[in-house]
Amino acid sequence: MPKSYFFTSESVTEGHPDKVADQISDAILDAMIKGDPQSRVAVETLVTTGLVLVAGEVTTKTYVDVAQVAREKIKEIGYTNPEFQFDYESCSVLVSIHGQSPDISAGVTEGEGIDTNQGAGDQGLMFGYATNETPEYLGMPLAFAHRLTKRLAEVRKSGEIPYLSPDGKSQVTVEYVEGKPTRIEAIVVSNQHKKSATNEQIYKDIKEKVIFAALPKEMIDDKTKIYINPAGRFVMGGPAADTGLTGRKIIVDTYGGVGSHGGGAFSGKDPSKVDRSASYMTRYIAKNLVAAGAADRCEVQLAYAIGISEPVSVMVNTFGTGKVDDERLEEVVREAFPLKPKDIINHLDLRRPIFQKTASYGHFGRDDPDFTWEKTDKVDEIRDLLKLGDKKQTEN
């Protein structure tokens, strides 16, 4: 890795079309899990001008008014005005949901498949990542990008910047020297707005009330480039301007482009799908290893075969920052963490309606008690197994 380099990550607001689709899918999942915690759900959503299309496969004992759930979520996000050409009252909601494949069901249901334990819902490879460069244990560019989009939502909903609309994006470029973040090179913020707002007003308000309010001023210097709505007017936005699909913001959902990604999206999938549950477990493992002081940066991979409960592989990569060999950390992972799908679900308590709030501003780095994969409760056990002594880096 070069001595000095720039790295960029992005985030989007909850009103971004792809995030609208993610949130609708996860709101439907939550409603089904609330009525039947054992629900098997794989739901995809498409949103465009005046239209919501929900499709997927479901096995559940409960009834959910899918159209009503979708409308409530759209209202909550802020699409309440017909001028958006997409709003919760006037949009059409089409639903095409059918039963799950009995072959897949047999492979996942405990006692029915070749592996009598609960198997993985599909083959797949999942990655988790953590770094100690921010309190969120995320890379600084992504952590800062999320802070900006959260702040955009705050000032819009509070009325502090009354002319903002739901759709928006951010991007942050950080300069690294000798592997350490030193300053912000560039900030990009784009947010939908009402016709009445002027470009000058938008620039001034977002710079003062969003950027300087959300980011540490010591990371911004005279050379930092700030771009606010750089394309000009942004009146038409949301699903009317850009069709949204579930699962199209997987890098925003995870680690901002740092490390690797297995390719599977999260939203709309119940925790029997290892795309979701094992991704949460790999984050949990990586974060605990870093919090225990075993490494400064860590990436963990788990891979599964459909219908089989044990992972087919476990990999730990500390990028040369590990206090012990990566091979030893792999042994510790197998010893200290549950890796079978059923055990992951139970350990992280995933059979709860907690998922729609994961569907905006990232699934990781969030201070929320429902995000059990963000706990660092394995730190002591890891340090004991590695004989690292009593001192911890941090614990939450």
Side-chain angles (χ1 to χ4, degrees):
M1 185 172 288
K3 290 184 177 180
S4 177
Y5 63 94
F6 298 100
F7 196 89
T8 303
S9 295
E10 71 166 347
S11 180
V12 298
T13 66
E14 63 208 64
H16 185 280
D18 295 328
K19 279 289 133 198
V20 173
D22 283 342
Q23 290 169 90
I24 291 171
S25 293
D26 272 341
I28 294 165
L29 169 65
D30 276 358
M32 291 185 177
I33 288 180
K34 184 177 181 180
D36 175 11
Q38 298 302 317
S39 293
R40 303 264 177 79
V41 182
V43 170
E44 316 283 345
T45 303
L46 176 149
V47 293
T48 188
T49 304
L51 176 66
V52 177
L53 173 61
V54 180
E57 305 81 48
V58 167
T59 299
T60 186
K61 296 178 181 178
T62 194
Y63 169 77
V64 171
D65 186 339
V66 171
Q68 185 60 31
V69 169
R71 293 185 192 280
E72 289 175 358
K73 177 50 65 176
I74 294 165
K75 179 181 180 181
E76 181 183 321
I77 292 168
Y79 286 107
T80 58
N81 191 329
E83 290 184 4
F84 293 138
Q85 299 181 46
F86 179 86
D87 70 277
Y88 79 102
E89 288 184 302
S90 65
C91 68
S92 298
V93 182
L94 305 182
V95 180
S96 180
I97 293 178
H98 55 84
Q100 183 185 37
S101 161
D103 297 333
I104 295 176
S105 180
V108 177
T109 302
E110 192 169 11
E112 291 189 10
I114 295 173
D115 185 336
T116 55
N117 294 302
Q118 178 177 328
D122 199 354
Q123 71 176 45
L125 49 144
M126 282 58 63
F127 289 92
Y129 177 82
T131 174
N132 59 12
E133 67 186 60
T134 65
E136 296 95 333
Y137 286 84
L138 296 175
M140 188 172 287
L142 180 64
F144 285 0
H146 283 325
R147 292 182 197 179
L148 289 173
T149 51
K150 289 177 187 175
R151 181 62 182 164
L152 285 171
E154 288 173 4
V155 297
R156 171 174 64 88
K157 292 180 177 181
S158 70
E160 188 174 350
I161 305 182
Y163 53 80
L164 293 184
S165 301
D167 193 3
K169 306 178 77 170
S170 70
Q171 185 173 283
V172 177
T173 301
V174 172
E175 182 177 7
Y176 286 77
V177 177
E178 301 288 350
K180 302 294 184 182
T182 59
R183 56 178 290 275
I184 297 174
E185 168 69 9
I187 300 166
V188 183
V189 176
S190 298
N191 206 100
Q192 183 186 12
H193 57 84
K194 296 176 182 177
K195 294 178 181 178
S196 57
T198 65
N199 292 351
E200 293 75 18
Q201 182 182 19
I202 294 166
Y203 189 93
K204 178 178 181 293
D205 286 345
I206 288 182
K207 185 176 181 179
E208 294 178 359
K209 299 178 181 179
V210 176
I211 293 174
F212 288 156
L215 302 184
K217 291 184 175 62
E218 65 270 17
M219 293 295 290
I220 302 172
D221 58 30
D222 293 340
K223 294 182 180 180
T224 300
K225 297 181 283 289
I226 297 177
Y227 303 97
I228 297 172
N229 283 15
R233 305 293 284 168
F234 187 4
V235 175
M236 176 174 282
D242 184 15
T243 297
L245 293 169
T246 297
R248 207 159 58 175
K249 281 291 175 284
I250 56 177
I251 299 303
V252 172
D253 285 343
T254 53
Y255 305 107
V258 176
S260 308
H261 196 291
F266 304 155
S267 291
K269 298 177 182 177
D270 77 90
S272 74
K273 279 73 173 175
V274 286
D275 274 346
R276 184 164 220 157
S277 55
S279 292
Y280 292 170
M281 178 52 69
T282 54
R283 162 64 175 181
Y284 178 60
I285 295 169
K287 185 175 180 180
N288 274 271
L289 290 173
V290 172
D296 295 331
R297 297 172 60 208
C298 182
E299 182 176 82
V300 176
Q301 185 199 52
L302 297 176
Y304 292 85
I306 187 169
I308 305 301
S309 59
E310 290 283 357
V312 299
S313 70
V314 177
M315 183 277 293
V316 175
N317 181 6
T318 60
F319 308 96
T321 71
K323 305 305 183 286
V324 299
D325 291 341
D326 291 351
E327 291 81 359
R328 174 58 185 141
L329 293 179
E330 290 169 8
E331 294 173 355
V332 167
V333 168
R334 289 183 180 274
E335 186 171 350
F337 293 90
L339 302 179
K340 295 180 180 179
K342 179 181 177 181
D343 296 338
I344 291 172
I345 291 168
N346 290 339
H347 186 83
L348 297 180
D349 195 15
L350 298 179
R351 291 286 182 193
R352 296 174 296 140
I354 59 171
F355 296 109
Q356 58 182 300
K357 59 184 174 181
T358 68
S360 51
Y361 312 115
H363 293 244
F364 308 121
R366 307 269 292 278
D367 184 15
D368 187 310
D370 285 332
F371 288 47
T372 50
W373 50 93
E374 291 297 313
K375 292 182 178 180
T376 53
D377 54 358
K378 287 283 189 176
V379 164
D380 288 337
E381 184 177 356
I382 291 168
R383 295 192 67 82
D384 288 344
L385 289 169
L386 294 175
K387 297 180 172 55
L388 292 176
D390 298 327
K391 186 179 179 182
K392 307 173 188 176
Q393 275 188 262
T394 187
E395 186 168 359
N396 61 13

